Amino acid sequence: MKNFKIIITCIFALILTNSITAQDNCSTFYPFEEAVTFQITNYSKNNRVAAITDFLVTDASSNFATFKSFLRDKDGEVLNEATFTMSCENDGIVVDMESLLNPQLLDNYRDFETEISGTKIVIPNNLHVGQELPDATMTMLVDMSGINLRMEVSMTDRTVVDRETITTSAGTFDCFVIGYTNTINMVMNRTTTAKQWISKGVGMVKQEDYNRRGRVTSSSLLTDFHR
């Protein structure tokens, strides 16, 4: 569950990353340019490094981009490698919730009948404070020889709540703040809230996840970006 949560954070970061200069494509909040790299570092509630994910754009055109991601633990051991393809639709970026799944998780159920359904994550090209963003949901059903396993993931109550200036090791950025509720239901139901700080020209600069008492349980920072 912990690694799955980290992967969700990193992929949301991935779809929010944008370019530093204007591009001849349909995306404002995403670098559809080959060879762009960036890094997201995840921290525990004690502000200790929990994992680091490096991203690389391996293929790009005017309306889609393919990314390779490498999730490593604090000691550098690779926990997961994945490939994601993003596309543009209705003046924004869209991605299937299925892309958030850890490929190792799917591999665990490769011998069983699996059905995945849901809605797409939408990131509009233009953001403003007070804007409400569409929810995104995903359901995975696994038929394990008569035993049914159901996993549900949802990202709801997505709203642009503020603008703030954030400083990290990568620099100082003027950011939109997006708040949302994240729910994962797999055997046990886990609901948390989160905020993401995203900046034009950089993407996601910071994220914080909170428990029901409003205390930070984990956080993420953009720690590297190159084009």
Side-chain angles (χ1 to χ4, degrees):
M1 181 68 74
K2 180 179 179 181
N3 289 341
F4 184 67
K5 182 178 180 181
I6 290 173
I7 291 169
I8 287 180
T9 298
C10 291
I11 303 309
F12 286 155
L14 174 65
I15 64 176
L16 288 169
T17 303
N18 58 5
S19 61
I20 294 177
T21 59
Q23 304 173 54
D24 185 21
N25 58 45
C26 59
S27 171
T28 298
F29 286 90
Y30 193 73
F32 285 27
E33 301 175 43
E34 292 185 17
V36 169
T37 63
F38 61 97
Q39 181 183 82
I40 301 294
T41 301
N42 300 93
Y43 300 88
S44 66
K45 64 181 179 181
N46 297 321
N47 206 32
R48 296 179 180 177
V49 174
I52 298 172
T53 305
D54 293 299
F55 296 94
L56 167 68
V57 181
T58 59
D59 190 19
S61 75
S62 61
N63 59 7
F64 83 92
T66 301
F67 280 68
K68 183 79 173 182
S69 66
F70 302 88
L71 175 66
R72 297 179 172 86
D73 63 17
K74 62 181 180 180
D75 298 317
E77 180 180 353
V78 176
L79 302 175
N80 179 68
E81 296 183 18
T83 299
F84 310 92
T85 300
M86 310 298 176
S87 61
C88 294
E89 182 178 305
N90 297 327
D91 195 28
I93 298 168
V94 298
V95 56
D96 291 329
M97 284 284 283
E98 181 179 349
S99 298
L100 303 183
L101 290 176
N102 186 337
Q104 294 177 343
L105 178 66
L106 293 177
D107 189 58
N108 290 337
Y109 305 115
R110 65 182 182 276
D111 296 328
F112 303 102
E113 183 177 349
T114 303
E115 178 182 346
I116 299 177
S117 61
T119 59
K120 295 179 180 180
I121 302 168
V122 178
I123 305 294
N125 282 335
N126 296 305
L127 296 177
H128 60 268
V129 175
Q131 182 177 7
E132 296 182 358
L133 306 180
D135 295 342
T137 62
M138 186 210 68
T139 299
M140 184 175 76
L141 302 175
V142 182
D143 186 352
M144 304 173 64
S145 301
I147 300 176
N148 295 321
L149 174 66
R150 182 185 183 94
M151 181 178 72
E152 298 177 339
V153 179
S154 64
M155 189 181 184
T156 59
D157 304 321
R158 301 174 63 217
T159 305
V160 182
V161 297
D162 205 351
R163 291 189 70 169
E164 297 180 2
T165 299
I166 296 294
T167 299
T168 74
S169 59
T172 299
F173 310 95
D174 178 32
C175 302
F176 289 99
V177 185
I178 299 177
Y180 68 93
T181 299
N182 185 49
T183 302
I184 302 174
N185 188 355
M186 185 177 180
V187 182
M188 296 181 62
N189 190 21
R190 179 180 177 85
T191 299
T192 59
T193 57
K195 287 183 179 179
Q196 292 176 335
W197 287 256
I198 63 172
S199 177
K200 290 184 177 181
V202 181
M204 195 194 84
V205 175
K206 178 181 177 181
Q207 170 159 322
E208 290 185 341
D209 299 285
Y210 310 96
N211 61 20
R212 293 182 178 180
R213 297 181 179 179
R215 296 178 180 176
V216 175
T217 58
S218 62
S219 61
S220 303
L221 290 176
L222 177 72
T223 48
D224 198 11
F225 188 97
H226 292 286
R227 62 169 5 96

